[in-house]
Amino acid sequence: MNTQILQFNINNIDICAREIAQGGVVAFPTETVYGLGADALNKFAVKKIYEAKGRPSDNPLICHVSNRTQIEKFAYITPMAEKIIDKFMPGPITVVLKKKGVPDVVTGGLDTVGIRMPDHKCALALIEACGVPLCAPSANTSTKPSPTTALHVYNDLNGKIAYILDGGECGVGVESTIIDCVNGALLRPGGIPKEKIEELVGKLNDPPKSDVPLCPGMKYKHYSPAASVILAQYGKNMQDRIKKAYDSLCGKKAILSRLGGYENRNVLFVGNTVEEYAHNIFALFRKLDEQNYDYIICEGVPEFGVGAALINRLVKASGGNII
Ligand code: TXA
Ligand code: MG
């Protein structure tokens, strides 16, 4: 199969909607990262997503909808979800709710479903044209950094899917916040800060203890470049800790930095703000992998707002190698 990158326009939305109606899989942009979508009601199509990604099939997929009626059709909306939907959708947030008629292959056998309405005109146009929810994980090969451009998707999935809809660079750059609206818990920090959600619905619980993983995707190695990632905790002497670690490493190495102050060491600028850092992080990981880096040392950031999502991804990418 030859994978084609199609620019976002009505004609190409039509081509992709037809591919999905025929049980195919298409990559499309959202405001967080690119997704790899199929008709959530067609279990044969959904299986193709797992195959293309090389993803374990116990890891449930988020259903992407374009309007509120679709949420009501496929899930039981709780009062907490009601508030979140009103205030933050469309936007970078996913609500986990008890499902109605969503195939088990989508939800990894759980009785709940993750639902999200992306704030991206290309994604919304595609879902609208398909007339069904599109279940979609991030459109990367499993464990690789999530894709934030059509080219990232192409580099991972060329030959495995027919089309990639190109809607430019994703704005947010890290995935959606996931709220379990059955248990009132934050499952994954993401594009909408926890603080903003708590202002609306009150304090969120820690994820309930359970034998079944509540957000199964979180147990897998994630977001990792091939290079070893070292994360420096934000705070006292961060720059000194980074310089010391950098100087002790042999191999091709870089410091990802917002603040600077590393003299003549190899530094890549991640942007001035935490939001820019989050927007750029996955693209930088991919770029450094292409250049065969051995080590990437990442500055930490304060752990609130989008900073909490960024730190969550960096901790995972580092495999716990924190200085
Ligand atoms: O921003 C995003 O959320 C992106 C874009 C493409 O929408 N999608 C995304 O999907 O990050 P994925 O598959 O890479 O991550 C989805 C996470 C996984 O950790 C999965 O386990 C969790 O959501 N999840 C999905 N359905 C769930 C459910 N019913 N209960 C608990 N966790 C669920
Ligand atoms: Mg993912």
Side-chain angles (χ1 to χ4, degrees):
M1 191 187 305
N2 222 342
T3 301
Q4 284 183 58
I5 299 182
L6 304 177
Q7 292 309 310
F8 169 43
N9 59 44
I10 296 300
N11 228 354
N12 287 336
I13 289 283
D14 221 54
I15 292 174
C16 292
R18 252 181 285 144
E19 174 70 11
I20 286 172
Q22 286 163 12
V25 171
V26 168
F28 63 94
T30 79
E31 79 280 35
T32 57
V33 302
Y34 273 71
L36 186 60
D39 174 354
L41 306 180
N42 177 342
K43 55 185 181 197
F44 300 103
V46 177
K47 283 192 185 135
K48 291 184 195 160
I49 295 179
Y50 292 109
E51 281 161 26
K53 261 187 82 93
R55 168 170 171 142
S57 60
D58 66 335
N59 191 358
L61 304 173
I62 293 172
C63 287
H64 296 68
V65 299
S66 57
N67 58 59
R68 160 142 192 155
T69 313
Q70 280 178 324
I71 308 180
E72 278 159 24
K73 193 162 168 197
F74 295 103
Y76 294 91
I77 299 178
T78 62
M80 174 186 273
E82 190 84 56
K83 289 187 188 166
I84 292 176
I85 293 164
D86 278 354
K87 171 103 183 168
F88 295 117
M89 289 198 186
I93 192 158
T94 298
V95 288
V96 170
L97 295 167
K98 292 274 184 218
K99 69 178 185 181
K100 282 186 197 165
V102 180
D104 273 345
V105 62
V106 173
T107 61
L110 299 174
D111 63 354
T112 54
V113 60
I115 295 198
R116 141 164 162 73
M117 197 189 297
D119 186 14
H120 195 290
K121 57 179 194 258
C122 182
L124 292 172
L126 179 65
I127 303 163
E128 200 68 32
C130 292
V132 286
L134 298 185
C135 60
S138 49
N140 51 309
T141 300
S142 219
T143 82
K144 287 252 221 133
S146 295
T148 54
T149 67
L151 193 60
H152 295 160
V153 180
Y154 185 84
N155 290 341
D156 277 16
L157 300 178
N158 179 23
K160 296 188 169 158
I161 58 175
Y163 303 114
I164 301 168
L165 258 183
D166 188 349
E169 252 182 63
C170 302
V172 178
V174 290
E175 299 84 346
S176 61
T177 307
I178 305 182
I179 304 291
D180 173 347
C181 289
V182 179
N183 299 296
L186 174 81
L187 299 184
R188 178 176 75 181
I192 304 258
K194 179 186 177 196
E195 300 81 11
K196 286 215 172 141
I197 302 164
E198 290 191 328
E199 263 171 39
L200 182 74
V201 302
K203 186 131 184 60
L204 292 167
N205 299 318
D206 290 332
K209 301 233 176 328
S210 162
D211 292 340
V212 185
L214 288 153
C215 189
M218 304 301 274
K219 75 184 181 215
Y220 299 107
K221 189 170 150 64
H222 249 82
Y223 317 115
S224 338
S228 297
V229 173
I230 298 154
L231 170 62
Q233 257 175 325
Y234 184 76
K236 206 160 171 252
N237 305 327
M238 180 171 74
Q239 272 109 331
D240 291 337
R241 279 181 271 123
I242 290 178
K243 284 192 260 186
K244 198 168 149 209
Y246 182 95
D247 293 344
S248 71
L249 293 169
C250 302
K252 203 167 171 186
K253 53 195 175 180
I255 300 169
L256 298 192
S257 166
R258 198 166 53 98
L259 306 171
Y262 302 100
E263 289 105 36
N264 50 7
R265 295 170 183 85
N266 183 25
V267 174
L268 271 88
F269 183 57
V270 294
N272 285 306
T273 62
V274 173
E275 284 73 18
E276 286 173 62
Y277 192 171
H279 169 86
N280 290 322
I281 187 64
F282 290 139
L284 282 166
F285 277 169
R286 282 177 177 263
K287 179 172 151 191
L288 293 175
D289 267 356
E290 277 163 24
Q291 298 172 10
N292 296 314
Y293 270 79
D294 300 303
Y295 297 102
I296 306 171
I297 307 179
C298 300
E299 272 181 1
V301 298
E303 227 174 317
F304 58 81
V306 174
L310 177 61
I311 291 297
N312 172 275
R313 308 311 187 262
L314 291 176
V315 166
K316 284 197 170 23
S318 75
N321 191 354
I322 297 171
I323 56 170

